[in-house]
Amino acid sequence: MLAVMTHLNVHPDKFESALDVFREELVYAEVVSMISLSFGNIPTDSQHSSTVLTASPKTAIGKYSNYLKNVYLRSKLPVKGKWPPALCKKIIKLATIEIEDDRSHLALCKLNRSESIDEYMQNNRMDPISMEELLTEKNGSLPKTVIVQGVPGIGKSTFAWKFCRKWAKGKIYQQYDLVVLLRMRDTRVREATKLSNLFFSENADFSNEVAKQAVCDGGKGIILLLEGIDELPAPCLADGMPLSNLLQGESLPLVTIIVTSRPWAVQTLEEKCGDQISRQVEILGFTREDILRYILHAFTEEEKTEFLDYLRSHPQLESIMHIPLNAGFVVQIYKQFHRSQQAIPSTLTQLYTALVEGLLLRYIKSVSEFDTLKIISVSSLPEPVQTHFHQLCLLAFMSFTKLTVQVTFTDSEAALYECFDFLDLMQSSTELTINTSTTVSHSFLHFTIQEFLAAYHLSKQPSQVQELFLEVHSKDPQFSMLIKFLVRLSSRVLHCLTLPQLKIQYISTFHLHLLYEAQSPKDVCKFLGNKTIEYSPSGTSTSLDLHALTYCLRFSDCYWCLNINLQNFTSLFCNSDEFYKGQIQTLEIYNVSVINLQLLFSLPKRLFSNLYRLIISLANEPVCSVVRDILIDGQLNELKQFSFVSKFLPCDLGLIIESMFASHPNLVHIGIGRTLYHSVTWLDYANT
């Protein structure tokens, strides 16, 4: 596999041909083809008959409203470049839910949420919310500030643009006179020093007139859509700055604000806005059904079956398919490698290495000097591409050290970087202005591309630099993806992420993912040592979580205490031919079914040879016969404590208990429901 990733033996014509599919309808990159948000039914004209605009077209607000409508209607998503958005032209709806008031953002905004989207919505009893419902009354009043959050690539920018276009078409929120889209990456927003700067115009007098009327009305009838608040430098939200005054309800107390953000910026937003926030919404992405629909449109029937088998055997990639942009990456790379009969990437780092190398290959092919090049690797690019690539990686890394989320700079600032080419790894976007100004800003194709390039740069630095970075940022969820890339590119950094030296070491799902991403059995042994490891995730474990766990069980020389949900346990983890160095001492499992219980205990017997405590709870179907078979076959000779909690209890309970005590000489007590049976008491009773 390493050889494949080091030398991506892909013919340029084939890669270019595959990417041509991505470039169809490019003006709507990330929008119509793949991540278009179909937010329920669009209201009919009759539904809007009771809402009318209040601003006269002769007023400053009226004139500005008419102008913005024309901008939204004639313009498409303001991104251009050679960026592959999709393999599928079908519109696929994204799951979008309202967040309950009493739920902490820390519980909602984890990059590695343990449940799948379907289970997350079901377990938390969350119903979908449509774009038309965002500004409906809540608790008897209209929302003041609405936060729309989601991880990178999930569709937040698309949401903002589509919201404005629907309003301009008269399909939603016609009771509002004005919807102003403010993209936080735009220079005019970042450099705004007063309210009028946000009502952008090349005519300062007109901007002042619009702002003056807005202030007189308190912002009533105006929606400000702040897109990408996480991309805004911290000084722009300092007290006294125009955006800060808006969010705190000072300059326009009656204005309605919608903010889109990546999850890690939500806490800062909550602290800034306080009780101004009246609704929080999260875009979750593709459900299982949506993923299957996407795959159906991207493959033939035969290819679909093969691809689904591939996903099931590579849960690291399966777990990111709910993010539309990542789904496009996975499908594209799979097709490319499958056609050339190469080993297909199985980890995130391998996937992004292949993606970046493919993009670089396409760029290099455009240069006549290298048009016959067939093999490419990020570690051995031809000059001057190699130099330019390393400079881009440095640029990507610099944004993290400065704690800015994404590299963004304008045309004038781009002159500072004229010493190197962007290698088609960056895209340009035209900032909206009132007349004909064409200010252009540049950013990496996607934030995850930037994270990979930043990790690549860091992997080439001395160990002291890597250690310092991890010391500062290892516990910050904003850097979790970068760190995942880094441990695969430079496995030596794992020793910087050691577990606390306790008698029982507690390991997180994030650390399991890191060990799996590193794909190094030696590092698993070194990282975990030979102590007792406890793993007890707070929610439902995904197939990836369990796959990473079994990977560590195979190669660690540890005793394990596990408390896990078996809902996503599959046959993937049940290869009886594999040797497991680790052993389970205590095991508490819940959400148990017949099949996943059978699969679990079909793992090699050595894994359970030292199991002394077993708790089976929340069985969701009758599993007693399976439990009995497991317990009386002599596999669990060291078992001392056993508990079983289920609404499905066997009729021959007494016989089962007696056979269990008889076949397990070390068994001290058995708990069935709330009743505890001790071995001495039970055997005395049975003998009488």
Side-chain angles (χ1 to χ4, degrees), residues 393-394 397-398 400-401 454-474 479 482-483 486 490 492-497:
C393 293
L394 172 61
F397 177 73
M398 286 170 55
F400 286 96
T401 59
Y456 186 83
H457 170 81
L458 189 56
S459 71
K460 302 301 179 183
Q461 304 309 305
S463 57
Q464 298 92 324
V465 176
Q466 298 177 13
E467 291 173 5
L468 179 60
F469 181 88
L470 292 173
E471 181 181 343
V472 176
H473 301 300
S474 62
F479 299 91
L482 186 154
I483 295 172
L486 182 61
S490 176
R492 63 186 177 181
V493 303
L494 275 172
H495 78 275
C496 304
L497 302 166

Side-chain angles (χ1 to χ4, degrees), residues 360-415:
L360 288 171
L361 183 62
R362 182 183 64 184
Y363 170 82
I364 293 173
K365 180 195 168 187
S366 67
V367 181
S368 58
E369 182 182 353
F370 304 109
D371 58 359
T372 60
L373 190 64
K374 297 180 180 180
I375 299 176
I376 193 173
S377 165
V378 291
S379 60
S380 58
L381 297 168
E383 290 292 356
V385 175
Q386 181 79 22
T387 298
H388 295 165
F389 177 71
H390 284 296
Q391 289 173 323
L392 278 177
C393 293
L394 172 61
L395 182 64
F397 177 73
M398 286 170 55
S399 70
F400 286 96
T401 59
K402 295 178 181 179
L403 296 182
T404 57
V405 174
Q406 186 170 358
V407 171
T408 304
F409 48 89
T410 63
D411 257 355
S412 58
E413 294 169 321

Side-chain angles (χ1 to χ4, degrees), residues 117-306:
I117 290 174
D118 305 76
E119 284 129 16
Y120 178 66
M121 295 179 70
Q122 181 180 0
N123 294 344
N124 294 284
R125 297 179 181 178
M126 291 183 167
D127 296 321
I129 185 171
S130 68
M131 186 181 287
E132 289 77 14
E133 296 170 319
L134 275 183
L135 301 181
T136 55
E137 284 192 9
K138 183 178 181 181
N139 299 327
S141 59
L142 293 174
K144 168 65 178 172
T145 299
V146 177
I147 297 177
V148 179
Q149 62 174 282
V151 298
I154 208 72
K156 299 182 299 296
S157 297
T158 302
F159 158 82
W161 194 250
K162 190 162 188 175
F163 186 101
C164 294
R165 286 177 63 82
K166 278 194 169 186
W167 170 76
K169 290 179 179 179
K171 293 181 176 180
I172 59 173
Y173 301 120
Q174 295 306 285
Q175 66 269 38
Y176 291 90
D177 303 316
L178 190 61
V179 175
V180 182
L181 174 61
L182 299 174
R183 298 189 309 168
M184 299 298 101
R185 69 184 70 92
D186 287 355
T187 306
R188 60 177 178 80
V189 175
R190 296 184 175 203
E191 296 180 351
T193 57
K194 56 184 180 178
L195 181 63
S196 60
N197 296 148
L198 299 177
F199 296 102
F200 51 94
S201 168
E202 291 183 347
N203 186 324
D205 291 337
F206 181 70
S207 295
N208 290 331
E209 188 178 352
V210 174
K212 182 178 180 181
Q213 184 180 345
V215 170
C216 289
D217 297 335
K220 184 178 181 180
I222 297 176
I223 297 175
L224 296 181
L225 210 167
L226 312 185
E227 193 256 300
I229 198 76
D230 52 283
E231 299 179 40
L232 194 68
C236 296
L237 286 178
D239 291 342
M241 297 299 287
L243 285 173
S244 178
N245 292 339
L246 283 170
L247 290 170
Q248 293 176 343
E250 296 175 359
S251 52
L252 298 176
L254 301 180
V255 75
T256 299
I257 298 177
I258 301 175
V259 184
T260 71
S261 174
R262 295 186 178 108
W264 49 77
V266 171
Q267 183 177 11
T268 301
L269 201 56
E270 290 175 341
E271 294 171 354
K272 173 64 65 174
C273 298
D275 58 6
Q276 297 292 312
I277 299 175
S278 48
R279 174 169 280 152
Q280 292 196 45
V281 169
E282 183 173 7
I283 302 175
L284 297 177
F286 288 162
T287 63
R288 284 198 188 101
E289 183 181 345
D290 297 329
I291 292 173
L292 290 174
R293 188 180 300 116
Y294 178 80
I295 292 171
L296 178 64
H297 292 301
F299 293 98
T300 65
E301 192 64 32
E302 181 179 353
E303 290 174 334
K304 181 186 76 170
T305 301
E306 293 178 352

Side-chain angles (χ1 to χ4, degrees), residues 542-651:
T542 64
S543 57
L544 170 61
D545 302 338
L546 295 172
H547 187 62
L549 172 61
T550 55
Y551 181 83
C552 292
L553 284 170
R554 285 181 59 199
F555 299 111
S556 67
D557 190 18
C558 303
Y559 290 111
W560 290 77
C561 301
L562 303 178
N563 182 346
I564 55 176
N565 187 313
L566 285 191
Q567 185 166 327
N568 292 308
F569 201 77
T570 71
S571 57
L572 169 67
F573 317 113
C574 302
N575 186 346
S576 58
D577 296 331
E578 292 178 343
F579 178 77
Y580 284 77
K581 293 178 63 178
Q583 294 183 344
I584 301 174
Q585 282 190 328
T586 70
L587 178 61
E588 182 172 350
I589 50 180
Y590 52 102
N591 273 346
V592 177
S593 65
V594 169
I595 184 64
N596 60 33
L597 195 58
Q598 289 175 329
L599 289 171
L600 175 64
F601 282 96
S602 67
L603 289 169
K605 291 186 178 182
R606 184 184 183 279
L607 192 59
F608 306 101
S609 60
N610 280 289
L611 182 67
Y612 69 84
R613 182 169 178 261
L614 174 62
I615 299 175
I616 301 175
S617 60
L618 300 179
N620 48 33
E621 57 184 85
V623 297
C624 294
S625 60
V626 180
V627 173
R628 179 176 55 198
D629 294 341
I630 292 169
L631 292 173
I632 65 177
D633 70 350
Q635 181 175 348
L636 308 179
N637 294 326
E638 299 299 318
L639 193 64
K640 296 179 181 179
Q641 303 172 27
F642 171 73
S643 295
F644 180 69
V645 180
S646 173
K647 61 181 180 180
F648 304 102
L649 294 178
C651 299

